[in-house]
Amino acid sequence: MNLPNMKEAQTRTTDKTNYIYLNNNADKAYAGKKYFIRTYGCQMNVHDSEEISARLENLGFSKVETIEEADIVILNTCAIRENAHDKLYGFLGRCKHEKENNNKDLIICICGCMPQEEKVANDLIKNHPYVDIVFGTHNIFELEDMLLNKMERQDIRVYSKEGEVYENIPYKRDSKFKAWVDIQYGCDKFCTYCIVPYTRGKQRSRKSEEIIKEVECLVKNGYKEVTLLGQNVNAYGKDINDLSFAELLLKVSDTGIDRVRFVTSHPWDFSDDMINAIASRDNIMPYIHLPLQSGSSRILKLMGRRYTKEEYITLFKKIKDTIKNVAVTTDIIVGFPNETEEDFNETLEVVNECKYDSAFTFIYSPREGTPAAKMQDDISLEVKEERLHKLNDLVNKYAKENNLKYEGKIVKVLLEDYSEKDKNLLMGYTDTMKLVNVKADPKYLGSIVDVKITSAKSWSLDGEIVEEK
Ligand code: SAH
Ligand code: SF4
Ligand code: F3S
């Protein structure tokens, strides 16, 4: 996509050494000021918000939970589906009202994947001049510069091309026990419906030695779990001739961290070595998110997914047969252009075969600039919604069935926080990524404990800690 008024990474003039890392000259220029941040989208965005928070706190800002208390509001956006636009404009409406009526100095900042879209960037420039700062996914490190040298007019900096991979990025991590670790940025799979390769750029892997250094540091600081992040982790290393993902997993496991997770793995280039690596180590969690997208080989081809229904099922079975007690979840899109009733029924067939632990299901949403957006979309919204409902009913049935198998069992849970449903309980996840609300003393926060599961619902489990005698 060609972006207007935007500097390209190669031609930028910013003195990078000042801003990639924490800007030590910042001198807490915003001491006593407050920030509010809202994040949409995938774990990458959540992790980017941890970087944005670190940069803001370096300038002296502290975090608040409402727009009304804030001096700066940041919306970290996601562009994956059309409804992202409603979220952005809804948020902007609230901020504009606050700025006009209560706090004329409020700094409004939009970042993340949406400003990487030409249409959105243009619209912010033309129609939303009250937005002060806009930056994209490739130049988060400029935030401090934008605030230290704040301009009267809108400051919009979005690079259309990805830059190099930076190291020593500061993060204000949300959890003291589990951490996100980027292993690769961008994606060059170009599935025909997907905007991510355009908003995040081509695949760039981080050097394995840097990843290991980061994990070792997390272990030293008491972290119990890391999740390795990438849009397609199995392709890790291929762009820089580094370790394969299977080799990287083993090295991360060698650091001695209690739990290693990863997202997302594309069925394409999911190697036997990966399956064997996961099966061979107790600290690599038996949980795999394996997006199916569609059960019809014809639709998969149109989607550019590069596997057939049969190849997917073969891979799925190999995973189930090799990794003990593995849980598998998936993503499915219904209503892709030209999806017939037969195509949809094939998706249901795969769900019946794989009996997923859970699934994220979506109605196809055309994204401007992607190849699929040019395909004729001849299915009515009514039919799409009907398919989604039918699919969800089936997904829920298997989610519940899988969870019921946990009743009465004793499982390991990393207790990470108080439960949202009841503050007297703690919450955490099993090895297999099942959410459990646990009756346990708060002194166990941050520990991996044995929990007896007392009851199961479709989307969570209840349990009580098994205390050592
Ligand atoms: N890299 C991951 C997916 C990241 S996006 C992978 O390939 O598995 C998360 C999910 O959003 C996708 O798996 C897909 O199911 C869904 N998605 C992406 N683009 C979409 C679109 N245009 N319409 C509807 N759903 C979409
Ligand atoms: Fe999008 Fe496909 Fe890349 Fe996933 S692998 S981020 S669906 S292009
Ligand atoms: Fe959304 Fe960007 Fe992630 S489009 S899904 S936040 S990579």
Side-chain angles (χ1 to χ4, degrees), residues 56 121 181 208 256 382 408:
L56 290 170
V181 174
S208 57
E382 201 187 342

Side-chain angles (χ1 to χ4, degrees), residues 172-429:
K172 170 85 173 49
R173 297 188 189 269
D174 291 334
S175 166
K176 289 202 289 281
F177 318 120
K178 51 182 215 175
W180 308 113
V181 174
D182 287 328
I183 66 165
Q184 106 209 126
Y185 303 99
C187 178
D188 35 28
K189 293 287 183 241
F190 287 97
C191 302
T192 57
Y193 51 82
C194 184
I195 198 160
V196 171
Y198 309 93
T199 63
R200 292 272 169 175
K202 67 170 196 287
Q203 176 177 309
R204 289 101 65 210
S205 298
R206 272 179 83 191
K207 283 199 187 105
S208 57
E209 62 199 62
E210 296 290 347
I211 296 167
I212 300 301
K213 238 187 345 193
E214 183 175 346
V215 177
E216 282 170 349
C217 182
L218 289 164
V219 174
K220 238 184 259 156
N221 285 308
Y223 280 82
K224 299 280 162 68
E225 179 178 307
V226 291
T227 302
L228 309 178
L229 286 183
Q231 288 299 352
N232 177 21
V233 290
N234 352 11
Y236 169 80
K238 292 186 177 175
D239 51 310
I240 55 167
N241 256 330
D242 205 310
L243 302 180
S244 68
F245 184 62
E247 291 165 334
L248 179 73
L249 265 181
L250 294 175
K251 284 235 168 169
V252 174
S253 156
D254 287 341
T255 62
I257 185 114
D258 291 286
R259 291 176 151 196
V260 183
R261 300 188 186 278
F262 55 90
V263 277
T264 298
S265 37
H266 193 303
W268 183 16
D269 49 35
F270 202 115
S271 68
D272 287 357
D273 285 351
M274 259 178 79
I275 300 177
N276 294 332
I278 300 161
S280 72
R281 298 292 175 94
D282 287 342
N283 65 347
I284 304 180
M285 296 295 98
Y287 164 70
I288 292 170
H289 186 63
L290 193 70
L292 167 69
Q293 311 303 1
S294 167
S296 151
S297 297
R298 191 181 76 83
I299 295 293
L300 285 169
K301 190 154 190 218
L302 290 173
M303 288 176 159
R305 291 290 286 184
R306 308 199 195 194
Y307 52 84
T308 61
K309 170 190 185 185
E310 290 72 27
E311 284 164 347
Y312 181 94
I313 292 174
T314 305
L315 172 64
F316 180 91
K317 286 194 173 142
K318 212 190 288 173
I319 289 170
K320 280 276 181 182
D321 289 346
T322 319
I323 306 168
K324 216 171 58 195
N325 294 325
V326 68
V328 181
T329 58
T330 198
D331 291 345
I332 297 171
I333 298 173
V334 300
F336 190 78
N338 300 303
E339 183 189 65
T340 62
E341 209 54 34
E342 291 83 74
D343 292 320
F344 175 63
N345 283 334
E346 288 201 73
T347 299
L348 297 181
E349 264 174 40
V350 178
V351 174
N352 277 320
E353 175 104 32
C354 297
K355 302 180 173 57
Y356 295 106
D357 283 84
S358 91
F360 296 102
T361 56
F362 310 101
I363 288 181
Y364 165 71
S365 173
R367 307 310 293 123
E368 204 175 305
T370 62
K374 294 193 194 80
M375 297 178 194
Q376 205 192 335
D377 185 4
D378 53 358
I379 311 160
S380 70
L381 183 63
E382 201 187 342
V383 169
K384 288 176 185 171
E385 282 175 347
E386 222 172 80
R387 287 182 188 166
L388 186 71
H389 274 133
K390 213 164 165 187
L391 175 63
N392 284 345
D393 285 347
L394 197 60
V395 163
N396 293 353
K397 178 182 123 175
Y398 289 121
K400 180 90 190 259
E401 271 180 30
N402 280 308
N403 277 359
L404 280 172
K405 291 184 203 146
Y406 281 73
E407 280 189 354
K409 278 196 182 155
I410 292 175
V411 291
K412 297 257 180 243
V413 176
L414 167 55
L415 294 174
E416 60 180 69
D417 209 340
Y418 290 90
S419 162
E420 272 188 16
K421 78 164 198 187
D422 178 349
K423 291 288 171 211
N424 295 314
L425 301 175
L426 303 184
M427 57 76 62
Y429 291 88

